[in-house]
Amino acid sequence: QVHLVESGGGLVQAGGSLRLSCTASGRTLYHMGWFRQAPGKEREFVAALASIGSKILYADSVKGRFTISRDNAKNTLYLQMNSLKPEDTAVYYCAARYYGVVSATREEYDYWGQGTQVTVSS
């Protein structure tokens, strides 16, 4: 198993930037992803990164603005968010998947963090 803790959320104006962090403890070698959920909407895929190698997936809505990365020495996953828009406002969740391949499907992830709130004002 793995325990995930997100941090870095907050309030930012449209056009600004924010970096989210997800620190993992426990079993290693997981595929990692970021999802988000706004009030009244389903949890949706944002970005994902394979446990080994360089395969990366992005949702069309964030491609070119968000960057997913990791620091293996610190067991930490990052989401750098630039050119933020009000529609990016949501609770952002870190997720981990052990088996299979890196995925954009919510149901295929095994572990989740508690979430961190991101609010973009205009």
Side-chain angles (χ1 to χ4, degrees), residues 79-118:
L79 184 68
Q80 178 66 47
M81 304 184 293
N82 298 326
S83 301
L84 283 163
K85 305 174 181 179
E87 50 263 46
D88 294 318
T89 296
V91 176
Y92 283 70
Y93 296 91
C94 176
R97 183 191 190 198
Y98 183 74
Y99 296 106
V101 298
V102 64
S103 173
T105 302
R106 170 178 20 92
E107 291 79 7
E108 294 182 344
Y109 283 81
D110 304 302
Y111 302 99
W112 297 84
Q114 83 288 349
T116 185
Q117 177 70 49
V118 172

Side-chain angles (χ1 to χ4, degrees), residues 1-57:
Q1 66 176 29
V2 63
H3 180 63
L4 307 174
V5 179
E6 302 99 331
S7 63
L11 175 65
V12 64
Q13 289 191 317
S17 298
L18 204 61
R19 188 180 74 164
L20 305 183
S21 299
C22 173
T23 300
S25 61
R27 190 172 184 177
T28 58
L29 299 179
Y30 286 89
H31 304 304
M32 303 295 296
W34 287 100
F35 292 76
R36 66 188 183 186
Q37 186 167 22
K41 296 184 178 180
E42 294 184 345
R43 191 170 300 185
E44 66 177 358
F45 171 75
V46 176
L49 178 65
S51 60
I52 301 175
S54 60
K55 186 174 182 179
I56 296 175
L57 303 175

